[in-house]
């Protein structure tokens, strides 16, 4: 079977994989629910390829995510719900509807006006869904301001979306320093709970701290998931330096003292300040 850049070829391949008797047993056994974890994983792998600047890997990962869309659409088609063409039509309509400043009469809008227009159009879409005859949909869309912030999002991303929703009606701090004060308050509460040894209370307070840190990132216009990925990469890079240096000294990682490892950690930090390549950055600081 020859590869192809034609989307129809991919749709045909998925149909063949899902065909009873002649298809793939694993593919045939999948459902909407069993495929979701793979879809989420592929989205993260795209983010990883972007963070690494690996364009070949990004191409492959985008293909993997496209396969997830095709897979879910095929299952829906088999159930008589919709097909891949319906997915394309829906997003095409949405993009045209949400960009009247490009495809309609609302021309020459400033960035702030575009954002306001986008928010109004989304509100109109939400209202239309709420009035739909489907009672389950009506119940869901009538549940409140925060109802449509999906549960499956990573915790920090969901925190930011919840905060943005609340901010849209004025429930927000006006000064980022107030968020810093809240973080200090939460760390003090964690310290108090540590004295009592209550694990449930400790989990609650650490959750409150993480929620407040996500809020700080939001006010600073920084994606907290991206920030923590960078922190993870930094930790891996510095710890890898510790491992290599200890190995060059003939010292097993488990035999090194904390003081020795801490000294090498500081050496890694110092090297990052003078060596952009070691720090995972381009010479221009990217």
């Amino acid at each position: 079977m020859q590869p192809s850049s034609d989307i129809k070829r991919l749709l045909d391949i998925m149909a063949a994989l899902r065909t009873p008797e002649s298809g793939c047993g694993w593919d045939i056994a999948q459902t909407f629910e069993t495929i979701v974890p793979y879809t989420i994983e592929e989205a993260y792998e795209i983010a990883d390829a972007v963070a690494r600047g690996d364009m070949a890997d990004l191409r492959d990962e985008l293909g993997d995510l496209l396969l997830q869309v095709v897979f879910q659409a095929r299952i829906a088609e088999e159930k008589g719900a919709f097909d891949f063409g319906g997915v394309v039509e829906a997003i095409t309509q949405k993009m045209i509807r949400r960009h009247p400043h490009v495809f309609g009469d609302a021309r020459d809008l400033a960035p702030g006006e575009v954002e306001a227009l986008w928010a109004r159009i989304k509100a109109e879409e939400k209202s239309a869904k709420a009035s739909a005859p489907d009672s389950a949909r009506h119940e869901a869309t009538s549940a409140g301001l925060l109802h449509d912030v999906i549960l499956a999002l990573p915790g920090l991303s969901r925190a930011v979306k919840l905060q943005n929703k609340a901010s849209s009606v004025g429930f927000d701090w006006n000064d980022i320093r107030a968020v810093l004060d809240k973080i200090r308050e939460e760390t003090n509460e964690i310290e108090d709970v540590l004295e009592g040894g209550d694990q449930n209370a400790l989990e609650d307070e650490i959750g409150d701290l993480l929620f407040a840190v996500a809020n700080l990132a939001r006010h600073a216009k920084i994606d907290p998931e991206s920030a923590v990925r960078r922190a993870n990469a930094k930790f891996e890079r510095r710890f890898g330096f510790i491992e290599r240096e200890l190995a060059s000294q003939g010292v097993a990682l488990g035999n090194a003292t904390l003081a020795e490892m801490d000294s090498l950690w500081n050496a890694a930090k110092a090297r990052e300040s003078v060596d952009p390549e070691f720090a995972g950055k381009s010479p221009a600081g990217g």
Side-chain angles (χ1 to χ4, degrees), residues 15-286:
L17 291 173
R18 290 278 298 181
T19 300
E21 306 300 332
S22 62
C24 169
W26 186 90
D27 290 281
I28 293 169
Q30 301 312 303
T31 65
F32 289 129
E33 292 77 12
T34 62
I35 288 297
V36 163
Y38 298 102
T39 307
I40 294 171
E41 180 180 344
E42 296 302 345
Y44 277 118
E45 291 183 356
I46 287 172
D48 179 66
V50 169
R52 291 184 285 106
D54 188 332
M55 291 298 102
D57 202 16
L58 177 59
R59 179 201 59 199
D60 290 346
E61 297 301 344
L62 286 170
D64 290 344
L65 184 60
L66 176 59
L67 175 64
Q68 298 300 309
V69 177
V70 168
F71 209 143
Q72 295 275 17
R74 178 64 193 181
I75 296 173
E77 183 177 357
E78 293 167 359
K79 293 180 178 295
F82 58 82
D83 61 8
F84 183 80
V87 174
V88 175
E89 181 181 8
I91 189 58
T92 301
Q93 290 178 347
K94 180 183 291 185
M95 295 304 290
I96 293 172
R97 183 171 63 247
R98 291 188 178 182
H99 294 82
H101 54 295
V102 176
F103 303 109
D105 299 327
R107 299 283 177 168
D108 301 322
L109 297 181
E113 293 174 314
V114 171
E115 290 182 9
L117 180 61
W118 181 280
R120 179 176 61 78
I121 293 170
K122 288 187 68 175
E124 290 171 353
E125 292 172 350
K126 180 179 178 180
S127 178
K129 284 184 179 181
S131 61
D134 186 325
S135 60
R137 172 177 289 180
H138 178 76
E139 180 181 350
T141 52
S142 303
L145 181 67
L146 306 179
H147 82 277
D148 58 351
V149 181
I150 60 174
L151 288 170
L153 286 171
L156 293 175
S157 293
R158 189 166 193 269
V160 168
K161 286 189 175 292
L162 291 169
Q163 292 158 2
N164 278 332
K165 286 277 189 176
S167 180
S168 70
V169 294
F171 190 73
D172 200 358
W173 279 295
N174 295 322
D175 187 349
I176 192 172
R177 291 169 182 79
V179 187
L180 279 173
D181 290 339
K182 182 62 176 175
I183 290 174
R184 295 186 186 100
E185 176 188 323
E186 297 299 348
T187 57
N188 290 335
E189 291 179 1
I190 289 173
E191 190 171 3
D192 292 339
V193 170
L194 283 171
E195 298 295 328
D198 185 332
Q199 283 297 108
N200 288 330
L202 182 59
E203 181 177 355
D204 285 345
E205 295 302 340
I206 290 176
D208 290 344
L209 175 61
L210 291 170
F211 191 86
V213 170
N215 207 1
L216 177 67
R218 180 177 67 90
H219 277 266
K221 302 188 184 307
I222 289 172
D223 173 23
E225 293 290 343
S226 175
V228 77
R229 283 196 297 271
R230 289 184 63 174
N232 289 341
K234 185 189 302 180
F235 182 86
E236 289 180 282
R237 184 171 63 246
R238 292 177 181 175
F239 195 82
F241 177 83
I242 292 173
E243 288 183 293
R244 292 191 300 274
E245 288 298 306
L246 287 174
S248 70
Q249 298 168 22
V251 179
L253 187 60
N255 294 334
T257 66
L258 178 58
E260 288 173 323
M261 289 189 286
D262 193 48
S263 176
L264 288 171
W265 179 273
N266 290 330
K269 289 178 64 177
R271 181 172 172 181
E272 286 176 348
S273 66
V274 298
D275 186 348
E277 184 175 349
F278 177 76
K281 301 176 180 179
S282 69

